[in-house]
Amino acid sequence: DSGVTQTPKHLITATGQRVTLRCSPRSGDLSVYWYQQSLDQGLQFLIQYYNGEERAKGNILERFSAQQFPDLHSELNLSSLELGDSALYFCASSPGTGNTEAFFGQGTRLTVV
Amino acid sequence: GQNIDQPTEMTATEGAIVQINCTYQTSGFNGLFWYQQHAGEAPTFLSYNVLDGLEEKGRFSSFLSRSKGYSYLLLKELQMKDSASYLCAVRGPWNQGGKLIFGQGTELSVKP
């Protein structure tokens, strides 16, 4: 158990809908990263938050947004969903400073039908 | 930007040694990480290099050459459970968030 919790584990929704994925980082970690992994693809970096503020942005679509709350949990919002958005969405956390690894949650498997 | 290359797939025999290479080109470097990922599961941390040289951790070792933009992961005494995807990742500079950028992963199949 990495200490990073993601909910829900599975999500099935229709095209055009909006969903929210939730991540609770490890206790004490200030940095949260979101990644998308489509079938047979690598981990694509979406966005990073550090202590409530956006720190880095990757190839995140305009239909996607995220935020980190004062209690450090984070949410990834996906709207106007398309079939191609079906993927595993991982959240990872790290202390945010120092050369330590990032710890990954178990992921949310999103299926858009 | 950042570009990370690793072979798509490799096959090795149980009990053997396999080396998975990773080359990278980055605008900033703050360490190189190797993760293991079984299908449908979360990546798990294997090793970390920030200085040149070899880091050994049981059956797994990782090497880094910063001047060549090159790393490898060495797996010894392969076991069937080592069949997985191995991900090379580079950490960017802290003034850009220190994010981890991953390569596409190398799918390793261990055969009896």
Side-chain angles (χ1 to χ4, degrees), chain B residues 7-73:
Chain B
T8 304
E9 50 189 27
M10 299 181 71
T11 302
T13 305
E14 193 176 14
I17 299 173
V18 70
Q19 178 175 311
I20 303 174
N21 296 325
C22 170
T23 57
Y24 64 90
Q25 294 171 306
T26 59
S27 55
F29 180 83
N30 209 2
L32 188 139
F33 296 77
W34 285 95
Y35 281 78
Q36 180 192 61
Q37 185 181 26
H38 286 98
E41 298 183 9
T44 55
F45 169 75
L46 289 177
S47 71
Y48 164 71
N49 296 71
V50 67
L51 299 176
D52 291 352
L54 189 68
E55 294 284 339
E56 296 187 79
K57 214 178 189 183
R59 293 190 301 115
F60 296 80
S61 305
S62 58
F63 171 84
L64 175 67
S65 168
R66 289 171 296 168
S67 62
K68 294 181 180 174
Y70 168 70
S71 172
Y72 67 73
L73 179 70

